[in-house]
């Protein structure tokens, strides 16, 4: 089983569909003004087709696995996510290059998608660690990763130079295989709570 495969993954809240050009219109509509965010690269509506092509080319080279995040309630793609920094020899990968449209933020979509990605990584691919990386200034993302149950490993100072000339300090988090059972229960309980709140 290849780390660079992107099979269909689904639960009652979300489908992770293999990213395809057919997702362009939904994603261009979902992204809104997020692409203006200075501390993380998110494609604009006009650049969405090129971003999809770029991710699919990287996947064809075995560098990433790319999905569209589809809200099960609407059947529409509301974001993108990938496995990247694939390291099967050391049984590690990163979940990243993720964005979610504003309408889907704060809903069950993100924890449900992360549950699917983590289940595949730990239960199917046999990973011993799954990593998350985010910009020091992306406080929303850092808080969301911490809510998953990931632990902060450290900060890579002056890690990346962005096109706008700013330099990113990268905050690195991870979940270990020994932590996965507890993280899974936490995610399942979060989703159950959202279901109860909606009923």
């Amino acid at each position: 089983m290849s780390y660079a495969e992107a099979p269909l993954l689904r639960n009652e809240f979300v489908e992770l569909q293999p990213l395809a050009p057919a997702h362009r219109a939904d994603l261009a509509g979902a992204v809104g003004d997020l692409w203006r965010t200075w501390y993380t690269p998110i494609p604009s509506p006009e650049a969405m087709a090129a971003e999809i092509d770029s991710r699919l080319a990287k996947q064809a080279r075995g560098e990433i696995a790319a999905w569209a995040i589809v809200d099960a309630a609407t059947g529409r793609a509301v974001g993108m996510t990938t496995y990247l920094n694939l390291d099967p020899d050391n049984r590690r990968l990163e979940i990243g290059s993720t964005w979610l449209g504003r309408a889907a933020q704060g809903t069950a979509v993100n924890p449900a998608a992360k549950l699917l990605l983590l289940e595949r990584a730990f239960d199917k691919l046999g990973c011993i660690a799954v990593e998350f990386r985010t910009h020091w200034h992306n406080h929303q993302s850092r808080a969301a990763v911490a809510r998953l149950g990931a632990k902060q490993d450290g900060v890579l100072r002056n890690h990346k130079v962005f096109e706008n000339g700013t330099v990113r300090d990268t905050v690195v988090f991870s979940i270990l295989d020994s932590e996965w059972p507890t993280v899974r229960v936490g995610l399942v309980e979060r989703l159950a709570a959202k279901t109860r709140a909606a009923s």
Side-chain angles (χ1 to χ4, degrees):
M1 194 175 296
S2 169
Y3 280 31
E5 291 175 3
L8 175 65
L9 305 173
R10 62 160 65 97
N11 55 33
E12 64 179 295
F13 303 99
V14 71
E15 278 193 359
L16 298 184
Q17 297 179 358
L19 185 64
H23 293 116
R24 184 202 61 78
D26 279 359
L27 293 171
V31 74
D33 64 351
L34 290 176
W35 63 276
R36 299 183 185 277
T37 307
W38 68 270
Y39 50 73
T40 188
I42 297 174
S44 68
E46 295 76 20
M48 196 62 67
E51 178 65 17
I52 291 170
D53 289 346
S54 173
R55 293 194 190 202
L56 292 178
K58 290 177 182 177
Q59 183 165 319
R61 294 193 298 268
E63 297 173 6
I64 68 170
W67 287 272
I69 304 169
V70 176
D71 186 338
T74 65
R76 298 182 66 85
V78 294
M80 306 167 85
T81 192
T82 68
Y83 284 167
L84 61 160
N85 288 324
L86 309 180
D87 188 359
D89 289 344
N90 292 301
R91 295 163 58 194
R92 300 178 62 96
L93 56 79
E94 177 189 344
I95 295 173
S97 293
T98 301
W99 64 266
L100 202 59
R102 291 196 194 282
Q105 293 176 15
T107 70
V109 170
N110 186 56
K114 292 300 192 295
L115 179 60
L116 289 170
L117 292 167
L118 289 165
E119 284 175 338
R120 175 165 172 76
F122 287 115
D123 300 338
K124 301 294 186 184
L125 298 178
C127 287
I128 60 173
V130 173
E131 200 172 282
F132 301 85
R133 296 184 176 206
T134 188
H135 198 298
W136 175 265
H137 288 282
N138 193 345
H139 300 289
Q140 181 179 353
S141 177
R142 289 169 60 185
V145 172
R147 276 196 305 275
L148 292 175
K151 306 288 194 305
Q152 183 174 317
D153 295 324
V155 181
L156 304 176
R157 306 291 303 280
N158 280 2
H159 183 227
K160 288 189 175 181
V161 180
F162 281 6
E163 288 183 7
N164 63 9
T166 63
V167 180
R168 166 171 142 163
D169 289 347
T170 299
V171 187
V172 183
F173 296 82
S174 66
I175 298 170
L176 305 183
D177 55 344
S178 59
E179 299 165 339
W180 166 231
T182 302
V183 170
R184 185 207 299 268
V185 169
L187 282 169
V188 169
E189 286 300 314
R190 276 178 65 186
L191 292 170
K194 287 185 180 292
T195 300
R196 289 192 297 270
S199 62

